[in-house]
Amino acid sequence: MSKTLVFQMVEWNTIPWRKLERNVYKLQKRIYQASLRGETKAVRRLQKTLMRSWSGKALSVRKVTQDNQGKKTAGVDGVKSLTPKARLTLVLSLKLNQKVSATRRVWIPKPGTVEKRPLSIPTMQDRATQALVKLALEPEWEAHFEPNSYGFRPGRSAHDAIGAIFNSIKQSSKWVLDADISKCFDKINHKELLT
């Protein structure tokens, strides 16, 4: 029996999510360890395995269609929400070599000002593909990141950063610098920076 037929017989609501999360976690752990050892070929092989796995695809579709805050936001295709059957179809159709659709551009207000900033919204298919690739890439780079980096890291928050600052300054006084780099890259002199 083909893999596609087996998974078409599965109902979305009966999928054993804990088992899928465990499968993905085990692969991510192996990617992390191979990355720490510097085994690039093993990392790439494991990443391909994860991105082709049913578990990885199903979890990424679940994340963008059920768990994320923007799950009801439509891309250029106009799809706002998916039925359980449509979610299964999306899992089966996820491929990395597909052409990416255009994004829907929305202007949202900046808090505290009258200015607006652009926000690009991809389609559900593209969001699911991005989530799948993120599952495979994150463990590789987590192995090499700076240990004192807390921004946009999985399992870390502002509270962890505050705790780290407290632990480093509780023994002796230190200087703390806060830099606001608003529009830094628009106004910086690139020639001077490169020299």
Side-chain angles (χ1 to χ4, degrees):
M1 195 177 286
S2 76
K3 201 174 187 181
T4 307
L5 275 175
V6 170
F7 293 126
Q8 281 179 337
M9 292 187 294
V10 172
E11 287 290 323
W12 184 260
N13 298 328
T14 62
I15 293 174
W17 294 110
R18 291 275 184 235
K19 185 177 179 185
L20 269 59
E21 287 167 355
R22 221 174 12 255
N23 292 344
V24 168
Y25 177 75
K26 284 178 183 176
L27 274 170
Q28 286 180 321
K29 193 173 178 182
R30 288 177 63 194
I31 292 168
Y32 179 85
Q33 290 166 342
S35 182
L36 275 179
R37 292 189 304 265
E39 297 174 3
T40 310
K41 283 186 180 181
V43 168
R44 297 292 173 261
R45 183 176 39 81
L46 289 164
Q47 285 173 331
K48 284 179 185 175
T49 303
L50 176 55
M51 289 188 286
R52 290 177 182 153
S53 73
W54 163 257
S55 300
K57 289 179 179 182
L59 281 175
S60 61
V61 167
R62 179 178 161 207
K63 182 172 186 169
V64 300
T65 59
Q66 288 180 290
D67 299 342
N68 280 3
Q69 199 174 7
K71 62 189 172 201
K72 298 270 188 216
T73 310
V76 289
D77 58 354
V79 176
K80 283 188 176 183
S81 63
L82 297 175
T83 62
K85 190 174 181 181
R87 289 183 196 130
L88 280 173
T89 307
L90 180 57
V91 169
L92 295 171
S93 68
L94 272 187
K95 289 181 182 65
L96 296 178
N97 57 0
Q98 290 177 333
K99 190 168 173 31
V100 177
S101 305
T103 57
R104 186 168 70 112
R105 191 74 161 207
V106 178
W107 290 87
I108 58 171
K110 282 186 172 180
T113 64
V114 291
E115 283 184 77
K116 291 188 175 192
R117 69 178 182 86
L119 178 68
S120 297
I121 304 166
T123 62
M124 284 285 183
Q125 172 97 26
D126 293 339
R127 279 185 262 178
T129 307
Q130 288 172 6
L132 180 61
V133 171
K134 183 181 177 219
L135 283 176
L137 290 179
E138 218 168 40
E140 176 190 0
W141 293 105
E142 277 299 311
H144 299 292
F145 267 137
E146 176 68 34
N148 290 328
S149 168
Y150 293 91
F152 303 102
R153 300 275 298 277
R156 295 191 178 197
S157 66
H159 294 293
D160 297 321
I162 291 167
I165 291 169
F166 175 77
N167 288 332
S168 70
I169 64 171
K170 70 180 177 185
Q171 302 295 329
S172 63
S173 299
K174 296 201 170 99
W175 286 93
V176 176
L177 300 175
D178 180 23
D180 182 9
I181 56 169
S182 163
K183 297 184 182 175
C184 168
F185 298 105
D186 300 341
K187 298 178 179 177
I188 200 162
N189 186 338
H190 291 282
K191 285 183 183 176
E192 288 296 319
L193 184 65
L194 289 171
T195 55

